[in-house]
Amino acid sequence: MATRWGIVSAGKISSDFVASLKALPESEHKVVAVAARSLQNAQEFAKKYGIEKAYGSYDDLGNDPNVDVVYIGTVQSHHLSVSVALMRAGKHILCEKPLCINVKEVKEMIKVAKEQKVFMMEAVWSRFFPAYKELEKRLKAGEIGQVRHVIASFGKDLRHFQRLQNIADGGGATLDVGIYSIQLVSLVMGGDKPLKIVGTGHQTSAGTGVEESIGSTLLYSDGRIASISASFVADLPSEAFIIGSKGTIKIPYPMWCPETIEGPSGTMTVPLPKTAYEFNYDNSQGLMYEAMEVRRCLQQGLLESPGMPHSESLTVAEIMQAVRMQAGTVYPQD
């Protein structure tokens, strides 16, 4: 039986998510409803993607008995309130990254998911790409020996996205783009919490209260260290290097949605499937991988994904909060 998806928000990332599902069998994934704050927007979205039901409120979607799991594509400042309401309505949740604005909110989200006994996952799509799965496999096999250092960056000139500069929307480089390097580091470090987090950054020139660029060093046990940088004003290399005692693995650009991984045992490339749909963001066809993981977890009766468990969402949130606060960003939610 198909996993029946509901979509919250009819924006660009929701469009890309739904379009990515078109490469998967309809017998496995079916979008049955979409909700937006504007009924007209929901109806237009539904018409474009052949979705049966359109709602003008998120609560209405939560009350739809035909929806199994909800993809939440709102801005991050609304993630907690929308997710909690839908989980309390008994829905499983795939919530866009960052899961929440701060550590306090992430803890609340996890608490409600456990109380309601529903599946909940932060949509860190990178982790479900074949290249990331290959990375995990190679690290486990000891291909590069003991990890010594991780160097990762993500930077693009994204100033045309106004929400990135808006503190009310949870803007800032750390939450929006820095999360990609941070989650990679945490994956490579086996989910260990850093012993020390040193961060700095520049606030937006317009003085909007959020950081436009950051740099951070994360100190881990056993001689491990990570160096990360993120920016929404500069084009950084946006690649990653995992350096070990026996060699180096490289994730080339785009490190957050890669089709290729390079290392001592060779280069592996898994091209994304091509469909008739156009996407708003780089390699968004790869959003299908996280949808496949959600279906797998639901079929197995899991309430969290081993690939992005609640503990990892919390660790990533803790690192992001430490970095952006050292860069001078404090949200109203703090």
Side-chain angles (χ1 to χ4, degrees):
M1 185 176 167
T3 299
R4 299 174 300 177
W5 290 91
I7 306 296
V8 158
S9 177
K12 289 181 177 177
I13 192 64
S14 293
S15 292
D16 281 7
F17 180 77
V18 172
S20 80
L21 297 182
K22 299 296 184 181
L24 301 174
E26 202 171 298
S27 59
E28 294 180 3
H29 297 270
K30 186 169 176 59
V31 179
V32 296
V34 58
R37 284 174 295 182
S38 151
L39 178 58
Q40 184 182 343
N41 287 351
Q43 288 169 336
E44 287 171 2
F45 189 98
K47 185 179 178 183
K48 180 178 180 180
Y49 292 107
I51 301 167
E52 191 180 330
K53 291 179 185 168
Y55 296 113
S57 92
Y58 303 152
D59 287 341
D60 287 347
L61 185 140
N63 292 327
D64 187 334
N66 292 316
V67 172
D68 301 317
V69 56
V70 180
Y71 170 82
I72 294 172
T74 64
V75 294
Q76 46 253 34
S77 50
H78 294 297
H79 284 178
L80 179 65
S81 59
V82 174
S83 297
V84 164
L86 288 164
M87 287 191 289
R88 288 196 170 135
K91 302 304 181 192
H92 303 299
I93 296 293
L94 174 63
C95 180
E96 254 314 324
K97 38 71 38 197
L99 191 61
C100 294
I101 293 292
N102 58 22
V103 172
K104 181 176 66 178
E105 287 193 351
V106 168
K107 286 180 175 175
E108 174 68 14
M109 185 99 97
I110 293 169
K111 178 170 164 278
V112 173
K114 290 189 187 310
E115 285 171 356
Q116 296 301 123
K117 296 183 175 57
V118 293
F119 175 86
M120 187 274 286
M121 185 178 99
E122 182 177 11
V124 181
W125 62 313
S126 314
R127 291 202 168 189
F128 305 102
F129 272 71
Y132 269 72
K133 292 300 178 187
E134 179 70 8
L135 169 64
E136 290 185 84
K137 187 174 139 192
R138 292 188 183 194
L139 291 174
K140 196 173 179 182
E143 179 172 314
I144 60 168
Q146 186 181 353
V147 172
R148 301 287 191 211
H149 207 122
V150 181
I151 304 168
S153 68
F154 184 152
K156 277 178 175 287
D157 189 343
L158 301 168
R159 282 171 288 188
H160 52 288
F161 290 111
Q162 195 56 44
R163 65 174 178 80
L164 286 178
Q165 302 186 55
N166 189 350
I167 195 165
D169 289 335
T174 308
L175 262 60
D176 234 275
V177 292
I179 187 172
Y180 285 114
S181 295
I182 290 168
Q183 66 80 24
L184 171 64
V185 168
S186 197
L187 178 69
V188 171
M189 301 301 187
D192 293 350
K193 292 184 187 292
L195 305 175
K196 188 175 184 181
I197 302 167
V198 180
T200 189
H202 286 291
Q203 292 280 302
T204 59
S205 55
T208 58
V210 300
E211 80 291 355
E212 65 182 23
S213 60
I214 60 100
S216 178
T217 299
L218 309 175
L219 194 72
Y220 287 85
S221 61
D222 301 322
R224 298 171 298 166
I225 199 164
S227 310
I228 62 164
S229 50
S231 172
F232 64 68
V233 295
D235 289 320
L236 301 182
S238 301
E239 51 191 18
F241 298 86
I242 299 95
I243 301 115
S245 56
K246 292 185 193 171
T248 297
I249 291 172
K250 177 183 178 182
I251 302 180
Y253 175 94
M255 60 74 67
W256 69 99
C257 52
E259 295 175 274
T260 299
I261 180 173
E262 302 168 9
S265 66
T267 298
M268 186 197 86
T269 299
V270 180
L272 286 163
K274 304 289 184 216
T275 67
Y277 285 87
E278 289 186 5
F279 292 95
N280 296 295
Y281 303 112
D282 294 337
N283 283 0
S284 275
Q285 181 58 63
L287 290 165
M288 69 180 193
Y289 294 128
E290 65 183 3
M292 291 162 66
E293 172 67 3
V294 171
R295 175 173 168 81
R296 186 188 72 82
C297 290
L298 293 179
Q299 286 186 312
Q300 293 184 12
L302 302 177
L303 297 183
E304 52 187 297
S305 163
M308 191 61 202
H310 298 167
S311 59
E312 268 290 83
S313 289
L314 186 55
T315 297
V316 168
E318 288 167 350
I319 296 170
M320 290 195 299
Q321 182 163 309
V323 171
R324 53 101 175 160
M325 281 187 160
Q326 288 176 69
T329 299
V330 178
Y331 297 115
Q333 293 89 338
D334 294 327

